[in-house]
Amino acid sequence: MSVKIVVGAQWGDEGKGKIVDLLSDSVDIVARYQGGANAGHTIVIEGKKFVLHLIPSGILQDDVQCVIGNGVVIDPVALMEEIAMLESFGISMKDRLFISHKAHLIMPYHKMLDKARESQASAAIGTTGRGIGPAYIDKFSRSGIRIVDLLDRTVFEEKLRANIEEKNAVLKKIYDHEELEIESIISEYLDFDVKIDPYIKDTTLLLNQAIAEGKSILMEGAQGALLDVDHGTYPFVTSSNPTSGGACTGLGVPPTSVNSVIGVVKAYTTRVGNGPFPTELHDEMGEELRRIGAEFGATTGRPRRCGWLDGVALRYSVMINGIDTIALTKLDVLDNVQSIGICTGYEVDGKMLRSFPANVKDLAKVKPHYQFHEGWNCSLAGIRNYDDLPKAAKTYISAIEQIAGAKVGIVSLSPDRADTIIR
């Protein structure tokens, strides 16, 4: 039995899609445990690019089963578009995609509320506007609508009518927004129920039976640890738990079954949206990293903020996730950088901090302490063996291992599946 969790160790956009796709080659099941269609996992295979938002990245590997767990909030429109896209490439979903009957649905009013709140907020979070936060709010206020509710039309209509009446009042009175029409939404979601029915499963039972049978499972998160609603840079976070603990609650898998946690780490740091970013570069180097690394959101297209690798944040992420192996991505983006920085400590008001600050005001005013490493000044393209990397690249990787307290076991040198070193 092998149960592994793949987490983003930074602020998301680390390249989890490629790593999950790569590791899926040797597993039976890949399971997504949280988030929604605000995720954007990009995989490139022989020059062909796939962008997945809800369906696990393992779907691109033949014979791998994929699970969307109870911790995910599902946008029916996004899900059906994604299924259609994959099927257009000849990728079959039949007997391969399973969706938890306990997963919550994103409704049209969630998207409207998300956009309305963000547009009028005094301090915008920088959400994608896809209704993720409002859907999780309803989930925890116990007024959410789950896939299982679609099975009973009477129950579904009662819940939906009550919710829409409440949301319409909020949309109209607070945001001066047009109200939603109830009947069309009922019809739309009942139609979705027919389309989604072949994929619905008790995925908690499926996964635990697979574990009992000794099968291998890869659990995939969205976003990154520093966006975790409990452990991230609150309030500039997502609405769920991308950290490894979220995998167990988001899939119904016991923590005692987990063998390993793999943290995906970009060779530098990026962040989308608002919030503190201690190592952000506001100069030509930041622009260069964005340009060479094509740092634009896979879901929104928004430009990502870029900076040096934040070793303090990474060490914190390794601790809270229990990361034992690092998958280092986008090392090739640094091919022509003369001097590469790693943040090794935070200073606030003349004092060095001993831990990652919980208060974003403190994080926003930290003075990062750096160590700089000589660049390798050559292309890493085509390298498949770790020993063949330039000495300067191996020195940089060793520095990351020492600061993070975890071994780099995978090195990615381009978005393509083939351009990867396994140590």
Side-chain angles (χ1 to χ4, degrees):
M1 178 193 77
S2 171
V3 180
K4 297 179 179 180
I5 305 173
V6 174
V7 299
Q10 296 158 303
W11 277 287
D13 307 310
E14 301 95 347
K16 295 181 294 297
K18 172 182 173 173
I19 300 304
V20 171
D21 166 67
L22 186 77
L23 297 175
S24 298
D25 184 44
S26 58
V27 304
D28 299 300
I29 300 172
V30 178
R32 167 83 177 272
Y33 60 83
Q34 50 73 229
N38 54 343
H41 293 172
T42 302
I43 303 113
V44 179
I45 303 170
E46 297 178 352
K48 186 182 294 184
K49 185 164 100 171
F50 300 85
V51 180
L52 302 173
H53 300 283
L54 283 165
I55 297 174
S57 306
I59 201 70
L60 300 177
Q61 296 278 8
D62 294 337
D63 303 322
V64 172
Q65 292 183 325
C66 290
V67 167
I68 298 177
N70 56 274
V72 179
V73 287
I74 296 175
D75 179 347
V77 176
L79 177 63
M80 298 317 298
E81 286 178 351
E82 203 162 310
I83 289 173
M85 178 272 290
L86 289 167
E87 289 181 338
S88 74
F89 284 108
I91 299 168
S92 174
M93 302 291 111
K94 183 176 172 57
D95 297 326
R96 292 190 59 212
L97 178 63
F98 303 101
I99 302 170
S100 173
H101 60 319
K102 294 185 283 189
H104 281 246
L105 291 168
I106 292 178
M107 310 302 290
Y109 47 78
H110 290 138
K111 296 178 186 178
M112 288 185 175
L113 285 167
D114 200 359
K115 292 173 183 175
R117 286 171 180 166
E118 187 75 357
S119 66
Q120 296 187 26
S122 57
I125 301 299
T127 75
T128 60
R130 297 193 172 224
I132 311 298
Y136 277 114
I137 289 172
D138 279 3
K139 174 177 179 175
F140 288 104
S141 68
R142 299 179 295 280
S143 61
I145 294 176
R146 301 187 298 170
I147 287 176
V148 69
D149 294 324
L150 297 174
L151 301 177
D152 188 322
R153 179 166 183 156
T154 302
V155 170
F156 170 65
E157 288 195 24
E158 286 177 356
K159 282 191 171 186
L160 187 58
R161 287 182 190 280
N163 280 359
I164 290 181
E165 286 176 9
E166 177 192 332
K167 307 304 182 189
N168 272 342
V170 173
L171 286 166
K172 182 67 176 176
K173 294 176 182 178
I174 297 179
Y175 299 110
D176 193 27
H177 197 288
E178 65 183 37
E179 296 183 356
L180 289 158
E181 203 279 308
I182 296 177
E183 299 303 327
S184 63
I185 296 175
I186 291 173
S187 176
E188 176 188 350
Y189 277 75
L190 289 176
D191 180 56
F192 167 67
D193 178 41
V194 174
K195 294 176 182 176
I196 200 177
D197 189 62
Y199 308 108
I200 304 308
K201 191 90 172 176
D202 182 343
T203 57
T204 297
L205 180 61
L206 181 152
L207 290 169
N208 281 280
Q209 285 181 336
I211 291 170
E213 292 167 7
K215 292 183 177 180
S216 54
I217 299 171
L218 195 62
M219 301 194 286
E220 171 190 33
Q223 291 88 37
L226 301 179
L227 292 174
D228 188 279
V229 70
D230 286 297
H231 302 289
T233 51
Y234 191 90
F236 301 99
V237 292
T238 193
S239 303
S240 57
N241 294 109
T243 44
S244 58
C248 297
T249 54
L251 292 168
V253 171
T256 49
S257 67
V258 178
N259 309 116
S260 174
V261 180
I262 299 164
V264 186
V265 179
K266 197 176 287 186
Y268 47 101
T269 308
T270 63
R271 178 165 198 167
V272 172
N274 301 327
F277 184 179
T279 64
E280 183 173 9
L281 294 168
H282 299 279
D283 56 11
E284 290 182 6
M285 179 53 67
E287 292 291 336
E288 191 76 352
L289 291 174
R290 183 181 300 114
R291 183 185 65 81
I292 297 173
E295 295 296 353
F296 298 90
T299 298
T300 63
R302 289 183 295 180
R304 297 175 186 143
R305 300 153 64 190
C306 299
W308 295 129
L309 182 66
D310 189 331
V312 178
L314 177 56
R315 191 163 55 238
Y316 169 72
S317 185
V318 167
M319 176 182 71
I320 62 174
N321 286 290
I323 293 169
D324 51 68
T325 303
I326 289 173
L328 186 66
T329 62
K330 290 200 167 184
L331 187 65
D332 56 301
V333 173
L334 303 177
D335 279 354
N336 296 306
V337 178
Q338 301 297 315
S339 182
I340 305 167
I342 303 179
C343 172
T344 58
Y346 290 165
E347 179 185 327
V348 175
D349 299 329
K351 295 181 179 180
M352 296 300 295
L353 298 183
R354 298 183 63 184
S355 60
F356 189 77
N359 189 322
V360 292
K361 288 185 177 180
D362 290 338
L363 188 61
K365 65 180 183 180
V366 300
K367 176 184 176 183
H369 283 219
Y370 291 106
Q371 62 176 224
F372 282 88
H373 294 264
E374 182 183 352
W376 41 95
N377 299 304
C378 64
S379 173
L380 301 181
I383 296 177
R384 297 290 184 274
N385 190 299
Y386 186 81
D387 291 336
D388 294 333
L389 285 171
K391 182 181 178 181
K394 288 187 282 190
T395 298
Y396 182 61
I397 291 170
S398 295
I400 293 172
E401 292 178 324
Q402 184 175 1
I403 292 166
K407 182 178 177 60
V408 173
I410 300 170
V411 182
S412 172
L413 301 177
S414 93
D416 198 282
R417 180 192 283 172
D419 291 330
T420 313
I421 296 170
I422 308 293
R423 293 177 75 183

